[in-house]
Amino acid sequence: MSEQYKAAEKQALILQQDKDVWQPNANSGELMMQVETVQSLAKAAPVKIGRRALFSWLRIFVHNPGDGERVNLRIPIPIPLIGLLLPHQPPVNQALRLRNMMVQSDDPAKTLETYLDSLMAVEFIRVQDDDELVIIGLD
């Protein structure tokens, strides 16, 4: 891991204080470094990976930012070892989408928190409206 990458990852942990890390007009090298930083922040914890060895989890996530309601329903499905095949971090396109959302946001830390809460290994349905976000998938 390069020193430049470690520095960007360290700065990403203090997003509210230093929003300049996520520059809208980054060159391709900086952009990929930012995407890799987002991927490393969103990587599944070892406990979660171990839990996936025993159960696959059907998740229903609903977030309504207007009234601050958040529903995160998890239903265990006892299918062992299938969960280990699920990806451990988001693909590049999702990480790039999150990076762009953080650039446009007034509060990048809150945007990161909401997106990481909603992140699932496999999404079957993702509906994002101005008022509501609904995701159904496996985690």
Side-chain angles (χ1 to χ4, degrees), residues 71-88:
V71 176
N72 193 5
L73 178 66
R74 296 172 191 220
I75 303 168
I77 303 170
I79 305 173
L81 302 178
I82 297 296
L84 292 176
L85 300 175
L86 298 176
H88 300 301

Side-chain angles (χ1 to χ4, degrees), residues 51 55-61 72-79 120 136-139:
R51 185 188 68 195
F55 294 99
S56 296
W57 296 79
L58 176 66
R59 254 182 88 195
I60 301 171
F61 181 85
N72 193 5
L73 178 66
R74 296 172 191 220
I75 303 168
I77 303 170
I79 305 173
M120 296 181 201
I136 299 174
L138 288 177
D139 193 23

